[in-house]
Amino acid sequence: MDVTTDAAAPWLIVGLGNPGPEYAGNRHNVGFMVADLLADRVGGRFKRAGKAQAQVIEGRIGPPGPASRRVILAKPMSYMNLSGGPVNALRDFYKVPVAHVVAIHDELDIDYGVLRLKLGGGDNGHNGLKSMTKAFGSEYHRVRFGIGRPPGRMPVADFVLKDFSSAERKELDYFVDRASDAVEALVIEGLERAQSTYNS
């Protein structure tokens, strides 16, 4: 379903990560970090979503009036590789078209802190995206947050499940803030305008 023909439909904004305090600071959990900041902006608190294995907040983003958009912020409480089930359950419950789903996730093939916004495409080995695409197809939006490649011979799985380095943490708040701005721009202004601003 095309975004332009269904402007009144809500948006489902999904931060991808793994639940539990032991994962909270991991590179793989940057989607959760952005979702938490968006929750602060919306002024809500995450609550368990009925039968769906996820935490959600309902709210609006954008200026008051017709330009604001109804959004459901979500953090799947399954593990990363099972994200598709909870996200699809929320999509069905809130009647969200696939093109109004936004996945916020870590991206190995982009330098740390760099953002790329896109619609559709492959999963590039990302288990959260792979699960979502299997559940409802690939034509959803992605906000890709660069984490860079692991140093030396470190396995990718070890790298993404490690916390950001102390040097990275100095800039992390700024980059998470910028990613949150990018999500808002995508929903309010559309993909092309958001890409022109944030696909640096």
Side-chain angles (χ1 to χ4, degrees), residues 88-110:
N88 204 32
L90 292 172
R91 199 181 67 75
D92 285 344
F93 180 78
Y94 288 104
K95 298 178 172 52
V96 178
V98 173
H100 276 213
V101 176
V102 181
I104 310 161
H105 65 93
D106 58 304
E107 178 59 63
L108 286 159
D109 285 339
I110 304 174

Side-chain angles (χ1 to χ4, degrees), residues 2-125:
D2 189 86
V3 175
T4 55
T5 60
D6 200 26
W11 287 77
L12 177 58
I13 300 169
V14 182
L16 293 179
N18 286 309
E22 67 271 34
Y23 298 107
N26 290 179
R27 294 181 176 94
H28 221 19
N29 270 44
V30 74
F32 274 16
M33 297 174 196
V34 177
D36 286 338
L37 181 55
L38 286 167
D40 288 344
R41 294 182 180 187
V42 167
R45 296 187 63 170
F46 279 105
K47 295 177 184 157
R48 200 78 185 203
K51 294 180 180 178
Q53 203 176 356
Q55 292 183 349
V56 299
I57 296 171
E58 295 180 60
R60 300 190 81 85
I61 62 175
S68 77
R69 299 285 183 265
R70 183 179 168 224
V71 297
I72 298 97
L73 300 175
K75 296 194 296 186
M77 290 289 110
S78 61
Y79 285 97
M80 179 73 85
N81 61 343
L82 300 173
S83 301
V87 176
N88 204 32
L90 292 172
R91 199 181 67 75
D92 285 344
F93 180 78
Y94 288 104
K95 298 178 172 52
V96 178
V98 173
H100 276 213
V101 176
V102 181
I104 310 161
H105 65 93
D106 58 304
E107 178 59 63
L108 286 159
D109 285 339
I110 304 174
D111 290 341
Y112 174 60
V114 174
L115 299 175
R116 291 284 185 274
L117 283 63
K118 63 182 285 196
L119 173 63
D123 56 60
N124 202 24

Side-chain angles (χ1 to χ4, degrees), residues 34 42 50 62 75 83 91 122 125 141 147 172 186 191 193:
V34 177
V42 167
K75 296 194 296 186
S83 301
R91 199 181 67 75
H141 288 85
I147 60 169
L172 183 59
L186 169 61
L191 178 62
R193 287 188 66 180

Side-chain angles (χ1 to χ4, degrees), residues 105 107 118-126 129-130 133 138-140 142 144:
H105 65 93
E107 178 59 63
K118 63 182 285 196
L119 173 63
D123 56 60
N124 202 24
H126 193 286
L129 299 182
K130 195 177 294 183
T133 295
S138 64
E139 290 304 300
Y140 53 91
R142 298 101 189 276
R144 305 159 73 204

